[in-house]
Amino acid sequence: DSYVNYKDVKTSVKSQATYTVYNVYTADQFAWVLNQVNNVNSIKLNLLADIDMGGFDNKQFATGRSLTSTMYIEGNGHTVYNLKMYGTNPHFGIYNEIYGESKLIVNNLGFQSVMLLHFNVTDAEPAAWLLFGYAYPRPARNTNVLSLENVHVRNTFYQQSVNNNFNNQGIAFLGGKGFYKKLFVKNCSTSDGYIYGGGHVGGMFSLTDDNPNNNAQVKYDFEYPKNQMAFAFYDSANVFPLTFYNSYSVNCEMFSTGMDSGAFVSCARGITAINCFTNNTMYSNKNTGGFIGRIIRDGLGGVTLYDLNGNEENIGCVFRNCYSDGTVEGNVAMGGFTGYDSNYRTYQSPEKKGNESGSNNSFNYHATTVYQNCYSTTMVGMDY
């Protein structure tokens, strides 16, 4: 594959990786292979049949492990039914965490009738999602890679008990709260779900943050790679921002007792969303959006995006050809597309210094959010 940055520099990348391959036909085999992670450096789980995880018999599954190696799940268009998970670990999902130099690749896979209950958690920042709980910035900051393509989650019920420090909680239908070196999400969806959490609730993802050391230098209207897996395994510096492409979340009811919650992603810095949309019902307390709850202030390093003329800009997030529909209700700072854009506030008052959500960092920097060919028909704030 290739990319072109504003200097018209082209780089060809081929997907070259070696795996230990397991062909999977049953639920027991599926669970066994997922639990082999870190025992084998690079695993490819090749799913060759629809499987029933047995949740209707009150059987529940979670690996109880963290991912530190490479797990590539090829679903071949099959569906995993009746996956039920109960967890009290601070970070909880099929994998509790992904961290270090880990890579999680999931392609062509469906999940249907998922129940995830995250309860009795006393940690200050509990986080839960289907695939993993938290993308952890350790041992080096933001070195993990997540690539999802044609992953679809339907008919789900998620609930997270409210922690006293609910603002730092997180729960979302598909993928996790945390920090990434590379993130590609293409042709993915969540639909017909119910979710209840204490903050950072997202229809697709929760808090999503980029790597300050990425040093990607591309135009904000870049073309999405044809082969995202090639770049997922590309060892050189990342040449794309964290990107969502052709993905959506619809027909979901979402409730957040805290802040920073959105029908697509709860809050983010350094992401680009292209051809994505939502149509959900979203209730939250503070910073609530029909697409994104809050755009985190930029100016902390990370991806450098350039405008159409090749001029360097400090662009935090980009939304191209995206829209939102549905309903948004909240108490403070809500919007049909974006609930609260910290970059906009900073841009309006670059000389201002003070606290923002508990941060003592200065506001005197330039930052921009790009909305290109986007719109919202969301019904906002009819009750409050």
Side-chain angles (χ1 to χ4, degrees), residues 270-302:
I271 70 166
T272 295
I274 304 171
N275 304 336
C276 297
F277 65 92
T278 64
N279 189 343
N280 291 331
T281 299
M282 180 83 240
Y283 298 92
S284 183
N285 180 37
K286 181 180 178 181
N287 303 343
T288 312
F291 195 93
I292 181 171
R294 180 182 173 215
I295 297 173
I296 308 170
R297 60 184 181 82
D298 203 29
L300 302 180

Side-chain angles (χ1 to χ4, degrees), residues 2-67:
S2 65
Y3 76 93
V4 182
N5 72 3
Y6 83 104
K7 295 179 179 178
D8 294 327
V9 176
K10 298 183 180 181
T11 297
S12 296
V13 179
K14 294 182 179 180
S15 181
Q16 296 178 339
T18 301
Y19 311 96
T20 299
V21 180
Y22 297 92
N23 291 329
V24 169
Y25 298 87
T26 69
D28 288 340
Q29 292 174 345
F30 186 74
W32 184 87
V33 174
L34 289 177
N35 275 286
Q36 295 308 301
V37 69
N38 306 329
N39 296 332
V40 181
N41 188 46
S42 296
I43 291 177
K44 179 179 180 181
L45 189 163
N46 194 35
L47 186 62
L48 297 175
D50 291 350
I51 57 175
D52 189 334
M53 297 302 291
F56 60 91
D57 287 330
N58 208 34
K59 296 178 181 178
Q60 71 101 7
F61 170 78
T63 65
R65 296 171 178 262
S66 293
L67 177 64

Side-chain angles (χ1 to χ4, degrees), residues 4-309:
V4 182
N5 72 3
Y6 83 104
K7 295 179 179 178
D8 294 327
V9 176
K10 298 183 180 181
T11 297
S12 296
V13 179
K14 294 182 179 180
S15 181
Q16 296 178 339
T18 301
Y19 311 96
T20 299
V21 180
Y22 297 92
N23 291 329
V24 169
Y25 298 87
T26 69
D28 288 340
Q29 292 174 345
F30 186 74
W32 184 87
V33 174
L34 289 177
N35 275 286
Q36 295 308 301
V37 69
N38 306 329
N39 296 332
V40 181
N41 188 46
S42 296
I43 291 177
K44 179 179 180 181
L45 189 163
N46 194 35
L47 186 62
L48 297 175
D50 291 350
I51 57 175
D52 189 334
M53 297 302 291
F56 60 91
D57 287 330
N58 208 34
K59 296 178 181 178
Q60 71 101 7
F61 170 78
T63 65
R65 296 171 178 262
S66 293
L67 177 64
T68 59
S69 58
T70 295
M71 172 60 74
Y72 168 29
I73 303 173
E74 175 53 63
N76 295 301
H78 293 293
T79 299
V80 176
Y81 293 93
N82 297 311
L83 179 65
K84 180 180 289 187
M85 296 190 291
Y86 304 148
T88 59
N89 195 77
H91 304 143
F92 177 69
I94 290 178
Y95 295 114
N96 290 338
E97 300 168 349
I98 59 173
Y99 64 90
E101 298 289 341
S102 61
K103 295 180 176 67
L104 179 59
I105 317 294
V106 186
N107 291 343
N108 308 309
L109 182 63
F111 290 91
Q112 187 162 335
S113 300
V114 177
M115 176 178 283
L116 187 154
L117 303 178
H118 192 214
F119 54 90
N120 296 330
V121 180
T122 58
D123 186 78
E125 297 189 29
W129 293 271
L130 171 61
L131 297 176
F132 60 92
Y134 190 31
Y136 221 111
R138 68 182 192 193
R141 181 173 173 82
N142 311 2
T143 56
N144 41 57
V145 175
L146 179 64
S147 175
L148 308 177
E149 186 168 359
N150 297 320
V151 178
H152 305 283
V153 182
R154 300 181 293 273
N155 303 111
T156 52
F157 180 92
Y158 290 10
Q159 184 168 341
Q160 184 180 57
S161 61
V162 177
N163 186 276
N164 290 333
N165 191 15
F166 54 75
N167 285 339
N168 289 325
Q169 291 189 211
I171 188 166
F173 284 117
L174 183 56
K177 178 179 179 181
F179 305 84
Y180 305 89
K181 180 179 180 181
K182 302 176 186 179
L183 182 145
F184 298 99
V185 179
K186 179 181 180 182
N187 297 340
C188 294
S189 71
T190 62
S191 60
D192 302 300
Y194 174 96
I195 192 168
Y196 175 90
H200 294 103
V201 172
M204 291 281 288
F205 271 63
S206 187
L207 187 156
T208 305
D209 206 343
D210 76 335
N211 181 354
N213 300 313
N214 273 352
N215 298 319
Q217 297 183 349
V218 295
K219 290 195 296 184
Y220 74 79
D221 66 339
F222 65 89
E223 294 183 5
Y224 194 83
K226 296 178 182 178
N227 182 3
Q228 71 181 43
M229 279 190 64
F231 286 97
F233 284 94
Y234 185 42
D235 290 331
S236 298
N238 193 11
V239 294
F240 292 99
L242 311 181
T243 306
F244 296 89
Y245 184 74
N246 286 358
S247 297
Y248 63 89
S249 179
V250 298
N251 300 328
C252 299
E253 290 191 50
M254 305 168 61
F255 300 85
S256 168
T257 60
M259 61 185 291
D260 293 2
S261 297
F264 191 86
V265 61
S266 71
C267 53
R269 173 174 49 213
I271 70 166
T272 295
I274 304 171
N275 304 336
C276 297
F277 65 92
T278 64
N279 189 343
N280 291 331
T281 299
M282 180 83 240
Y283 298 92
S284 183
N285 180 37
K286 181 180 178 181
N287 303 343
T288 312
F291 195 93
I292 181 171
R294 180 182 173 215
I295 297 173
I296 308 170
R297 60 184 181 82
D298 203 29
L300 302 180
V303 172
T304 300
L305 297 177
Y306 292 78
D307 65 18
L308 295 175
N309 297 318

